Amino acid sequence: MAELKAIVAVCDDWGIGRAGEMVVENRADMRHFVRETRGGTVVMGRKTLASLPGGLPLKGRRNIVITRDSSFDPGGVEVVHSIDELIEAVAAEEVAWVIGGGEVYRQLLPHCSEALITKNHVVRPADTYFPNLDEDPAWELVEESGPFEIEPGEGDAGLAYRFCTYRRCAGDGLAQEAVSAEEVAGTSDASSAAPGDATAPAGHPIKTMILYRSRHHGNTKKLVDAIAAAFPDEVDTVDVAALGRNEYPDLSEYRLIGAASGIYYGGFDKDLKRVLDHSLSMGDKVFGLMTFGGADKWHGRDLVAVAQVKMASVLTMHGCRGWDTWGPYRFTGGVSKGHPDADDLKAAVEFFARLREDYGEILEDEWQKRRRRREYERAHPAGGLMANIRRTVGKIAGKDKSGRAS
């Protein structure tokens, strides 16, 4: 029986792709992929095959596609329709590499003994994620090389990355149950349930405020409304366009702050940035949500800049295309018409569900610590804990209250 191994490049939040494209360009990682898989067998989903150059199978490898579509027969690849068929097809192989996409990784990972992960140290908008092996007790990091930096001309120059090897822990057996290709494709009831449904993966509730600005076609508002509808007891929303010039929301009770904007002239809405600049506080945890009509680019710099000034932290971002008829686009009937579509909305809800799962308990714990500190400082109007620390440091340094040496 072949040993199944996964190979993938991820961002710091384990995002791997968006709209069928990789979110980081790293040619060193591509050479790493070629070295590991050359002459071997690769297993992928139908959409991953379509995303390869020309939609053609990888040269110098045995290409196997797993799909529920019984009529799928593109030529140049072998097609199987269940994991049982796959296991039988690779029985004589030493290793078979699982190369995507997201649902194929998720369903085949329980059958894998090893995963080669290239960690790109950045967070980019993504709609497809690899399971977080750092949080899975069934896996352990056994080897790590780097950090390296992407060289000029090699993709996203200057971005740091590492090559990591994870292995399934001893005693944690590989999954033996049969899984249909329909489940692999993500169409089973369990995999298609909305995050707010009873069958959806459990996550720790996060009291969240999403501040948004959605001009023109309401593209961004559609994403915000989808998340709020899926998590009605957790998520509040405010359209900053409805606020007065000097009116700002109180965010002190929220564990997580969302900043949602269409992208105008390559950046976040100026009114949203103004409200964030007045409303964010030190230690706030923020995520970005955005829509854009032009080319897929990294548009989160504005949000990161505002958060840094306020000593807040941007955890992650998510974006998708939105119908755009602004400026020159109106002469061509617009771009990205029909977006955000149903898949875009579903991806936004799944993005927030992952936030709940990955950060919920951590954010609640951090917020409670901040609450206790605020209560202490209100009970000690002489300046609170930080003032006491400064006075203590001053005494140790031999300075009086004015800061002069005593």
Side-chain angles (χ1 to χ4, degrees):
M1 176 178 173
E3 181 181 11
L4 290 183
K5 297 184 179 182
I7 185 167
V8 65
V10 305
C11 292
D12 282 332
D13 63 348
W14 295 81
I16 60 176
R18 199 171 71 77
E21 301 288 339
M22 298 181 70
V23 293
V24 172
E25 184 181 359
N26 184 349
R27 293 179 187 171
D29 170 62
M30 295 305 298
R31 290 193 292 271
H32 169 69
F33 174 88
V34 170
R35 283 194 302 269
E36 295 294 339
T37 64
R38 182 186 286 119
T41 296
V42 292
V43 180
M44 71 195 85
R46 179 173 51 83
K47 291 183 179 179
T48 297
L49 174 64
S51 72
L52 297 178
L56 299 175
L58 295 174
K59 294 181 180 179
R61 299 162 186 81
R62 180 188 179 193
N63 291 252
I64 299 178
V65 174
I66 183 167
T67 176
R68 69 179 184 277
D69 186 351
S70 59
S71 64
F72 184 72
D73 185 17
V77 302
E78 299 173 47
V79 180
V80 297
H81 302 98
S82 72
I83 290 182
D84 281 348
E85 282 188 50
L86 172 64
I87 297 301
E88 182 178 352
V90 299
E93 302 283 354
E94 182 177 350
V95 174
W97 293 95
V98 180
I99 66 170
E103 286 299 326
V104 172
Y105 280 132
R106 187 176 67 83
Q107 295 290 352
L108 291 183
L109 191 62
H111 302 263
C112 292
S113 60
E114 188 171 281
L116 302 190
I117 311 292
T118 301
K119 289 187 175 180
N120 295 300
H121 294 307
V122 69
V123 174
R124 296 273 175 87
D127 58 22
T128 307
Y129 290 78
F130 192 85
N132 187 338
L133 300 188
D134 289 326
E135 297 182 354
D136 189 337
W139 291 86
E140 59 181 341
L141 176 63
V142 297
E143 187 177 344
E144 184 177 53
S145 60
F148 308 109
E149 284 192 1
I150 300 177
E151 299 290 336
E154 291 282 288
D156 291 334
L159 192 150
Y161 66 96
R162 300 173 186 270
F163 293 124
C164 303
T165 300
Y166 289 79
R167 290 202 183 103
R168 187 170 293 280
C169 296
D172 191 275
L174 300 179
Q176 298 298 323
E177 70 277 9
V179 180
S180 69
E182 181 176 352
E183 290 175 305
V184 171
T187 58
S188 66
D189 291 340
S191 64
S192 61
D197 293 344
T199 56
H204 194 289
I206 310 177
K207 188 171 184 180
T208 301
M209 168 63 79
I210 302 180
L211 304 174
Y212 72 93
R213 182 74 164 97
S214 187
R215 301 185 187 184
H216 309 135
H217 302 291
N219 297 325
T220 304
K221 186 176 187 299
K222 293 175 183 177
L223 302 186
V224 173
D225 288 348
I227 293 173
F231 302 94
D233 297 328
E234 301 174 38
V235 178
D236 295 327
T237 66
V238 169
D239 182 353
V240 300
L243 298 175
R245 181 66 185 176
N246 296 311
E247 182 182 2
Y248 302 104
D250 179 7
L251 304 179
S252 61
E253 294 300 312
Y254 292 96
R255 284 61 165 169
L256 182 62
I257 313 299
S261 175
I263 299 302
Y264 311 105
Y265 302 104
F268 267 49
D269 178 83
K270 62 180 182 179
D271 290 328
L272 177 60
K273 289 191 291 184
R274 172 179 55 81
V275 171
L276 289 169
D277 188 57
H278 282 80
S279 303
L280 289 179
S281 300
M282 180 176 67
D284 279 343
K285 300 299 185 291
V286 184
F287 71 92
L289 196 65
M290 54 193 142
T291 58
F292 36 85
D296 178 4
K297 297 179 180 177
W298 174 237
H299 294 300
R301 299 180 184 88
D302 285 349
L303 178 58
V304 172
V306 172
Q308 287 177 339
V309 169
K310 304 300 290 186
M311 299 183 71
S313 302
V314 176
L315 297 178
T316 185
M317 298 195 193
H318 177 79
C320 73
R321 290 180 292 165
W323 184 33
D324 188 357
T325 60
W326 180 252
Y329 296 132
R330 69 180 181 273
F331 298 112
T332 61
V335 295
S336 300
K337 191 170 184 178
H339 290 273
D341 59 16
D343 288 338
D344 296 326
L345 301 183
K346 180 176 181 288
V349 173
E350 291 175 345
F351 162 77
F352 187 79
R354 284 189 295 271
L355 277 177
R356 294 172 78 246
E357 184 175 356
D358 294 345
Y359 293 104
E361 293 185 28
I362 297 172
L363 293 182
E364 180 66 29
D365 182 62
E366 289 191 4
W367 184 87
Q368 292 296 344
K369 291 177 181 178
R370 293 170 62 196
R371 177 187 59 80
R372 290 192 292 269
R373 185 177 67 191
R374 289 194 300 266
E375 291 177 352
Y376 177 87
E377 291 177 350
R378 281 195 295 266
H380 299 79
L385 179 60
M386 294 308 297
N388 289 337
I389 292 174
R390 285 193 293 268
R391 282 194 291 270
T392 300
V393 171
K395 289 179 181 179
I396 294 173
K399 296 182 179 180
D400 62 19
K401 292 182 180 180
S402 66
R404 297 188 295 265
S406 56

